[in-house]
Amino acid sequence: MKKHLAELGPPAAPFYAMLVMDGDRLGALLREYLPEKISAALRNFSQSVKRIIQDNNGVTVFAGGDDVLALLPVDGALPAAIGLHAAYLQSFAGVGAGKGTISGAIVYAHFTTPLTAVYREAHRLLDDVAKEETGRDSLAVAVWKGAGRVLTWSAPWEVVTDGRTNIFVDLVEAFQGNDSRQKEFNSTFFYNLRARFDILQEKGALELSEEDMVDILAAEYLKNRERQCTPDEARERVKKLLTICRRSWRDEEGIVHKAEGALTLDGALLVKFLAGRGVV
């Protein structure tokens, strides 16, 4: 019996992802371009949705015009969202209406969470976080467990992806190293960071410069004696993490403000979740 169970592979992850996407400011585009061009762009995009979702082992629930609703495994949601974003931009550029943008939201939910609650949360993320707080043409992500939302992270697409991969890939691989000596990050590192910055927030002392933040992260990183690296190497490693631990947004003029303001640990906790497929 054990042999046959082993042949089935590891047990299924207890989390899945709901992905919703919606075009930005279609009304303004219709005033600027011929409706026929907008319709052609949306038609081209809709025709590519099912393939992109399937390529990431997901199921398309709805794809019509600029709207998408899909269910995917945890490791397929970010690549699917990035693929859909690229397809949307390409569809509009292909018909001479190159200003079309799209926002998205991903909710990673435990399988016991009512689907209606996940759906409501996905649209709240899309409307209130991706479009409003982050400035449209953005992605918002949340993790929901039995007790509710445990983290929220968002950023403009320019921060999420460079067009080939997403910002979390290297960080997740660094967390998943083959053994403790190869791991750049581990659970203890994230736990200690949360405890340290909780104290700083309580004291109202989180107005730190970027150099201060890098120094604190690097010092925490070097506390693990198994990590063989110099302080300068530690600083370079934590700078990648710092990018997702500070807020990024797009202002009303369309300018992206990347990794500014106070430190927040939701980005780091999202790395931990993605690496552990359900651990926060």
Side-chain angles (χ1 to χ4, degrees):
M1 177 64 72
K2 290 183 178 180
K3 177 182 178 182
H4 292 307
L5 287 174
E7 291 173 352
L8 293 175
F15 282 79
Y16 68 93
M18 178 179 286
L19 168 65
V20 295
M21 300 191 74
D22 179 62
D24 302 315
R25 298 190 174 100
L26 277 183
L29 287 174
L30 286 168
R31 291 191 293 271
E32 187 172 352
Y33 298 97
L34 291 174
E36 292 81 0
K37 285 190 173 184
I38 303 302
S39 295
L42 294 176
R43 185 168 55 252
N44 291 341
F45 171 68
S46 293
Q47 291 171 351
S48 67
V49 171
K50 187 175 181 179
R51 173 187 55 80
I52 293 171
I53 297 300
Q54 285 183 336
D55 287 348
N56 290 282
N57 301 311
V59 176
T60 302
V61 179
F62 177 81
D66 61 327
D67 292 325
V68 176
L69 170 62
L71 300 175
L72 299 110
V74 168
D75 56 1
L78 273 170
I82 290 169
L84 291 173
H85 172 253
Y88 194 87
L89 299 187
Q90 184 176 3
S91 294
F92 274 78
V95 297
K99 294 184 179 179
T101 64
I102 191 168
S103 296
I106 297 171
V107 179
Y108 296 104
H110 194 272
F111 74 92
T112 59
T113 308
L115 195 61
T116 53
V118 180
Y119 182 75
R120 285 196 300 269
E121 172 66 5
H123 278 280
R124 185 200 69 82
L125 267 183
L126 180 65
D127 296 335
D128 297 346
V129 181
K131 289 179 179 283
E132 291 301 319
E133 293 180 12
T134 316
R136 290 182 171 81
D137 199 18
S138 300
L139 177 70
V141 182
V143 173
W144 257 46
K145 290 194 169 184
R149 189 186 322 116
V150 296
L151 67 86
T152 302
W153 182 88
S154 66
W157 287 108
E158 292 90 335
V159 176
V160 176
T161 178
D162 59 5
R164 298 183 303 277
T165 186
N166 69 74
I167 192 172
F168 290 95
V169 168
D170 287 342
L171 292 168
V172 168
E173 290 178 353
F175 190 95
Q176 289 176 328
N178 294 330
D179 58 50
S180 60
R181 289 183 179 274
Q182 290 179 316
K183 286 184 179 181
E184 290 186 18
F185 306 111
N186 59 22
S187 296
T188 302
F189 174 73
F190 286 118
Y191 177 82
N192 289 341
L193 277 184
R194 177 158 50 181
R196 182 181 295 276
F197 282 97
D198 280 348
I199 293 172
L200 288 175
Q201 286 175 319
E202 289 174 3
K203 294 182 177 180
L206 202 54
E207 293 300 321
L208 304 172
S209 69
E210 182 171 356
E211 288 302 308
D212 289 336
M213 292 182 183
V214 171
D215 287 341
I216 292 172
L217 286 168
E220 194 66 56
Y221 181 86
L222 288 168
K223 285 172 64 176
N224 189 326
R225 295 180 181 179
E226 292 180 334
R227 296 193 181 102
Q228 302 297 320
C229 67
T230 66
D232 287 341
E233 289 171 335
R235 287 172 56 84
E236 289 303 312
R237 291 178 184 180
V238 301
K239 279 181 180 179
K240 294 184 295 183
L241 184 63
L242 187 59
T243 300
I244 64 167
C245 287
R246 299 177 76 189
R247 181 174 177 241
S248 297
W249 74 96
R250 189 188 313 278
D251 65 24
E252 293 182 357
E253 283 72 43
I255 298 171
V256 174
H257 298 260
K258 183 177 180 180
E260 297 181 3
L263 189 73
T264 171
L265 291 181
D266 278 8
L269 294 176
L270 182 55
V271 171
K272 188 172 181 286
F273 171 85
L274 293 172
R277 303 180 72 201
V279 178
V280 177

